[in-house]
Amino acid sequence: DSGVTQTPKHLITATGQRVTLRCSPRSGDLSVYWYQQSLDQGLQFLIQYYNGEERAKGNILERFSAQQFPDLHSELNLSSLELGDSALYFCASRYHGTGINQPQHFGDGTRLSIL
Amino acid sequence: DQQVKQNSPSLSVQEGRISILNCDYTNSMFDYFLWYKKYPAEGPTFLISISSIKDKNEDGRFTVFLNKSAKHLSLHIVPSQPGDSAVYFCAASEVRGSTLGRLYFGRGTQLTVWP
């Protein structure tokens, strides 16, 4: 158990709809990262939040947005969904103490299926 | 563009033998590298990392080797055990002060260890 909680585990919806994925980081971790893993692809970095502020942006579509709340949980919002958005979405968190050897810890992901 | 490449999608090894997983990267600015292991229906789990100031890092049965001139790293597992069967992801990042930048992941190698 990594300590990172993602809900829901599975989500099935239709094209054009909007969904919200939720992530609770490990206790004490200030950074939250979102990744997308499509079929046979590596994890593609989407966005990072640190203590409520956007810190880095990757290959995130304009239809997607995220935020981190004061209690440090994060939500990834996906709108105008397309078939190609079907993927595993992972959240990771990281502790920003001294040193760089603090790895990201991943949740078990949300599997999004667009019908 | 894939800045981190794992060119072998799968590897099959007999129990007790050595498993060698390979990873290449193209960005010379990367100076920190990580390996993650992923079981089905779970998130990636951090395994081992190496800084570019080293060429080897060992943790129990796992050793990571870094060849900066070749932009190549490898993960050695000795001896391999059936429980090591999983997808292994290589990741790379730049060190920025006291923290890491975003992670770039390869597509993963499925390791199967057979009895």
Side-chain angles (χ1 to χ4, degrees), chain B residues 35-39 42-47 61-62 77 83-89:
Chain B
W35 285 94
Y36 280 82
K37 176 172 71 173
K38 183 183 179 305
Y39 294 117
E42 294 183 9
T45 302
F46 170 72
L47 196 56
R61 296 186 298 113
F62 302 91
I77 306 174
D84 296 329
S85 297
V87 176
Y88 288 78
F89 289 100

Side-chain angles (χ1 to χ4, degrees), chain A residues 33 35 37 40-45 57-59 88 90 94 96-97 99-108, chain B residues 2 32 34 36 38 41-46 49 51 89 95-108:
Chain A
Y33 305 78
Y35 293 86
Q37 185 184 22
D40 295 332
Q41 296 290 315
L43 286 84
Q44 300 292 319
F45 169 72
K57 224 169 185 177
N59 306 322
L88 265 172
F90 287 103
R94 182 169 178 266
H96 285 263
I100 62 172
N101 56 343
Q102 299 289 337
Q104 293 180 24
H105 296 269
F106 284 79
D108 288 342
Chain B
Q2 197 77 12
Y32 200 80
L34 308 91
Y36 280 82
K38 183 183 179 305
E42 294 183 9
T45 302
F46 170 72
S49 62
S51 165
F89 289 100
V95 175
R96 294 182 177 173
S98 61
T99 189
L100 291 178
R102 56 169 287 188
L103 293 183
Y104 292 81
F105 281 86
R107 294 186 179 186

Side-chain angles (χ1 to χ4, degrees), chain A residues 6 8-13 19 21 34-44 46 61 64 76 78 81-90 108-115, chain B residues 38:
Chain A
Q6 288 188 248
K9 290 192 182 305
H10 303 276
L11 202 45
I12 302 174
T13 188
V19 296
L21 313 183
W34 286 97
Y35 293 86
Q36 179 192 58
Q37 185 184 22
S38 302
L39 192 64
D40 295 332
Q41 296 290 315
L43 286 84
Q44 300 292 319
L46 295 178
L61 300 172
F64 296 2
L76 179 66
L78 315 177
L81 286 168
E82 302 175 359
L83 293 177
D85 298 328
S86 295
L88 265 172
Y89 290 84
F90 287 103
D108 288 342
T110 293
R111 181 172 294 281
L112 176 63
S113 298
I114 312 299
L115 303 180
Chain B
K38 183 183 179 305

